[in-house]
């Protein structure tokens, strides 16, 4: 069951890191180790203002693979001599944050953001160093940064399930969700795999995708180990394609292995086209509903009422849908009702659009053009979902061509059978690769341009917590002011574990 918290980004709290000057470094080291606080940096230092560690790092002309911060203040000269760019990079980041602190007497403070669920644990962590994490009110006109539950930077305390985590790149690739908006991750993932399945409808090819997903889950091949978190996404697409293939009666083409449970794409293309456009109309209605909620959360009732992606736009869409019903059924009442609803929606949208112009005749002309564009976009967006049927037909046609060639060769003796096997394998490999790419791109295009364009009007700012592994030095190394050799231990923040 979906939790209410999963429908919105992770809740953020404005906080201040407050510590005596002598305890500020240790407090910040613990903040870096926790990895759940984004610290505001001063932007008036200029690019040429560098601390001692940053200056030494620049002289070495090398960038470390991973910055590391030392628990105790290290000997920077010794780090430079030994080429420890990792520790110098960590110290440079620490210097940047120390330089951003606001000081009053012997007390220093830094402002930032922290997930609400982590405030208590983080406060307890830095209390041992003599610091404090103080919750603050969110400043007016400032939106907190956005952290989605399935993001790669999420911490174990509120990490998402593997399915949600695998769907998250769909949303983050489009942009950063505004903090006030709904988190569409799960809905977007489900819609994507359904659309992909309709275009890639073949039970044999779908099962191959499921096998690929299981290989990714097992970490095979090793060179693709970085894609392991995406295995539920690939598996979902494979299952959707398998179910669509069962409905179409397709198993590596029209081989007759499966009976047709719904329709044969090549025999009933208009029925498939109507189903695709009907599905698109429903998805657009859902997108408008989510857009209304987002506009309300962003700017209140007025923003929701007048936006072309809010109530006004939804009214235009509903009115046009009712008019389409009139054209289909021939009932004049539907035509009148649809025209009234669409007119009200256009009037509301016109008011909202006109307020964004400079006013006068020029503003009126601009508003008229934008309203015309909004109406045209609704029609083109609905029709755009016809591609679900078009590429489903293409996939079925490729499968039919391969199967016809296979059966024709198989009737020509032993040599023909061998050639038929080769044609079947190579043809299906080509169809699988080509159609998987095309269906994947087209499903992404529909999601971004037709659906997400109604959900989002702006973009948020991603949550970027400061997180570095901490090197805990031995007593001898600290006393000598040297970085340790064999006895050093680098401890990272809490490990992220993926539950299966």
């Amino acid at each position: 069951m979906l939790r209410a918290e999963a429908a919105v980004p992770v809740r953020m709290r404005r906080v201040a890191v407050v510590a005596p000057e002598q305890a500020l470094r240790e407090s910040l080291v613990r903040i870096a180790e926790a990895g759940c606080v984004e610290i505001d940096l001063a932007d008036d230092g200029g690019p040429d203002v560098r601390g001692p560690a940053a200056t030494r790092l620049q002289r070495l002309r090398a960038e470390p693979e991973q910055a590391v911060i030392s628990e105790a203040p290290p000997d920077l000269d010794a780090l430079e001599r030994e080429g420890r760019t990792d520790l110098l990079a960590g110290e440079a980041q620490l210097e940047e944050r120390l330089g951003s602190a606001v000081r009053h007497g012997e007390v220093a403070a830094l402002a930032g953001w922290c997930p609400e669920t982590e405030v208590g644990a983080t406060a307890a962590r830095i209390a041992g160093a003599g610091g404090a994490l103080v919750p603050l009110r969110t400043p007016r006109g400032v939106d907190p940064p956005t952290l989605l539950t399935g993001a790669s930077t999420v911490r174990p305390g509120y990490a998402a399930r593997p399915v949600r985590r695998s769907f998250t790149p769909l949303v983050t690739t489009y942009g950063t969700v505004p903090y006030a908006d709904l988190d569409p991750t799960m809905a977007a993932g489900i819609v994507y795999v359904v659309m992909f399945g309709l275009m890639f409808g073949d039970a044999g090819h779908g099962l191959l995708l499921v096998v690929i997903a299981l290989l990714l889950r097992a970490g095979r091949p090793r060179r693709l180990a970085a894609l392991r978190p995406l295995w539920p996404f690939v598996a979902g697409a494979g299952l959707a394609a398998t179910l669509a293939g069962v409905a179409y009666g397709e198993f590596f083409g029209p081989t007759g292995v499966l009976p047709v449970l719904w329709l044969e794409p090549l025999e009933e293309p208009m029925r498939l086209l109507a189903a695709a456009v009907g599905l698109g109309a429903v998805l657009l209605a859902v997108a408008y509903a989510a857009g209304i909620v987002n506009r309300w959360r962003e700017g209140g009732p007025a923003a929701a009422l007048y936006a072309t992606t809010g109530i006004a736009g939804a009214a235009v869409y509903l009115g046009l849908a009712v008019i389409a019903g009139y054209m289909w059924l021939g009932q004049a009442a539907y035509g009148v009702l649809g025209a009234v609803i669409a007119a009200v929606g256009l009037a509301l949208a016109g008011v909202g659009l006109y307020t964004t112009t400079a006013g006068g005749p020029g503003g009126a002309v601009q508003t008229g053009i934008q309203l015309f564009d909004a109406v045209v976009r609704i029609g083109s967006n609905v029709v755009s979902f016809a591609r679900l049927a078009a590429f489903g037909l293409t996939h079925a046609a490729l499968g039919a061509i391969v199967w016809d060639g296979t059966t024709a060769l198989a009737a020509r003796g032993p040599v023909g059978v061998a050639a038929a096997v080769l044609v079947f394998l190579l043809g299906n490999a080509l169809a699988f690769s080509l159609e998987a790419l095309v269906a994947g791109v087209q499903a992404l295009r529909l999601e971004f341009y037709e659906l997400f364009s109604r959900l989002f009007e702006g973009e948020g700012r991603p949550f970027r917590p400061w997180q570095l592994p901490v090197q805990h030095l031995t007593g001898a190394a600290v006393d000598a002011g040297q970085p340790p050799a064999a006895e050093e231990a680098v401890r990272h923040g809490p490990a992220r574990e993926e539950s299966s």
Side-chain angles (χ1 to χ4, degrees), residues 116-178:
E116 284 187 352
T117 55
E118 297 292 326
V119 171
T122 306
R125 178 187 286 265
I126 68 173
L133 192 70
V134 182
L136 304 174
R137 290 183 179 179
T138 300
R140 286 184 175 273
V142 176
D143 289 330
T146 300
L147 174 64
L148 300 183
T149 307
S152 58
T153 54
V154 80
R155 293 185 52 78
Y158 44 91
R161 294 178 181 274
V163 173
R164 187 183 188 90
R165 189 156 57 246
S166 70
F167 286 162
T168 300
L170 269 178
V171 179
T172 55
T173 299
Y174 181 81
T176 302
V177 176

Side-chain angles (χ1 to χ4, degrees), residues 405-422:
T406 299
T407 53
L409 289 171
R412 300 187 178 184
V415 177
V417 171
V421 171
L422 186 62

Side-chain angles (χ1 to χ4, degrees), residues 337-358:
L337 178 62
V340 171
I341 296 174
V344 171
L346 287 172
L348 292 174
V351 172
L353 292 172
Y354 186 77
T355 57
T356 64
T357 69

Side-chain angles (χ1 to χ4, degrees), residues 320 374-384 454:
L320 294 177
V375 174
V376 171
R377 280 186 58 210
I378 289 176
S380 64
N381 290 160
V382 173
V383 174
S384 185
R454 285 167 171 78

Side-chain angles (χ1 to χ4, degrees), residues 184-276:
T185 299
M186 284 302 297
I190 293 171
V191 168
Y192 182 94
V193 299
V194 168
M195 294 192 297
F196 178 90
L198 290 174
M199 291 184 283
F200 197 68
D202 187 290
H205 293 168
L207 291 175
L208 284 179
L209 273 180
V210 173
V211 171
I212 292 173
L214 294 177
L215 289 175
L216 288 176
R217 185 176 186 272
R220 305 292 181 181
R222 291 184 182 274
R223 68 181 64 183
L224 298 180
L227 299 179
R228 184 176 183 268
L230 297 180
W231 77 264
F233 187 12
V234 179
L239 288 174
T242 301
L243 292 175
V246 171
Y248 299 157
E250 298 274 332
F251 185 82
F252 294 109
T255 55
V257 174
L258 297 174
V260 178
L261 298 183
W262 180 36
L263 58 80
E264 292 184 68
L266 296 179
E267 297 296 326
E268 300 180 86
M270 295 307 297
R271 188 179 171 193
L272 181 61
L273 178 63

Side-chain angles (χ1 to χ4, degrees), residues 294-321:
N294 284 344
R295 300 298 85 76
W296 194 296
R297 291 170 62 90
E298 291 167 358
L305 180 62
Y306 297 110
T308 55
T309 56
I311 295 173
V316 176
Y317 178 73
L318 178 61
L320 294 177

Side-chain angles (χ1 to χ4, degrees), residues 232-468:
F233 187 12
V234 179
L239 288 174
T242 301
L243 292 175
V246 171
Y248 299 157
E250 298 274 332
F251 185 82
F252 294 109
T255 55
V257 174
L258 297 174
V260 178
L261 298 183
W262 180 36
L263 58 80
E264 292 184 68
L266 296 179
E267 297 296 326
E268 300 180 86
M270 295 307 297
R271 188 179 171 193
L272 181 61
L273 178 63
V277 174
L279 174 63
V282 171
L283 292 177
L284 286 173
V286 174
Y288 270 116
I292 292 172
V293 175
N294 284 344
R295 300 298 85 76
W296 194 296
R297 291 170 62 90
E298 291 167 358
L305 180 62
Y306 297 110
T308 55
T309 56
I311 295 173
V316 176
Y317 178 73
L318 178 61
L320 294 177
V322 175
I323 292 174
Y326 153 70
M327 297 174 64
W328 182 267
L329 301 174
Q331 297 290 332
Y334 287 127
V336 174
L337 178 62
V340 171
I341 296 174
V344 171
L346 287 172
L348 292 174
V351 172
L353 292 172
Y354 186 77
T355 57
T356 64
T357 69
V365 172
Q366 179 180 338
T367 299
I369 294 174
Q370 289 176 314
L371 288 176
F372 177 77
D373 176 69
V375 174
V376 171
R377 280 186 58 210
I378 289 176
S380 64
N381 290 160
V382 173
V383 174
S384 185
F385 282 91
R387 70 187 65 230
L388 295 177
F391 289 104
L393 288 169
T394 303
H395 195 181
L398 286 175
I401 292 171
V402 172
W403 182 243
D404 288 346
T406 299
T407 53
L409 289 171
R412 300 187 178 184
V415 177
V417 171
V421 171
L422 186 62
V423 167
F424 184 78
L425 294 177
L426 292 180
N428 273 284
L430 177 62
F432 177 88
S433 303
L434 180 62
E435 286 299 304
L437 175 62
V438 171
V441 171
Q442 293 301 324
L444 196 65
R445 184 223 176 272
L446 287 171
E447 193 138 84
F448 282 5
Y449 289 98
E450 271 64 52
L451 303 180
F452 281 4
S453 62
R454 285 167 171 78
L455 263 66
F456 308 120
E457 283 198 337
E459 188 171 1
R461 180 175 66 82
F463 176 62
R464 294 190 175 96
W466 185 42
Q467 182 172 21
L468 291 177

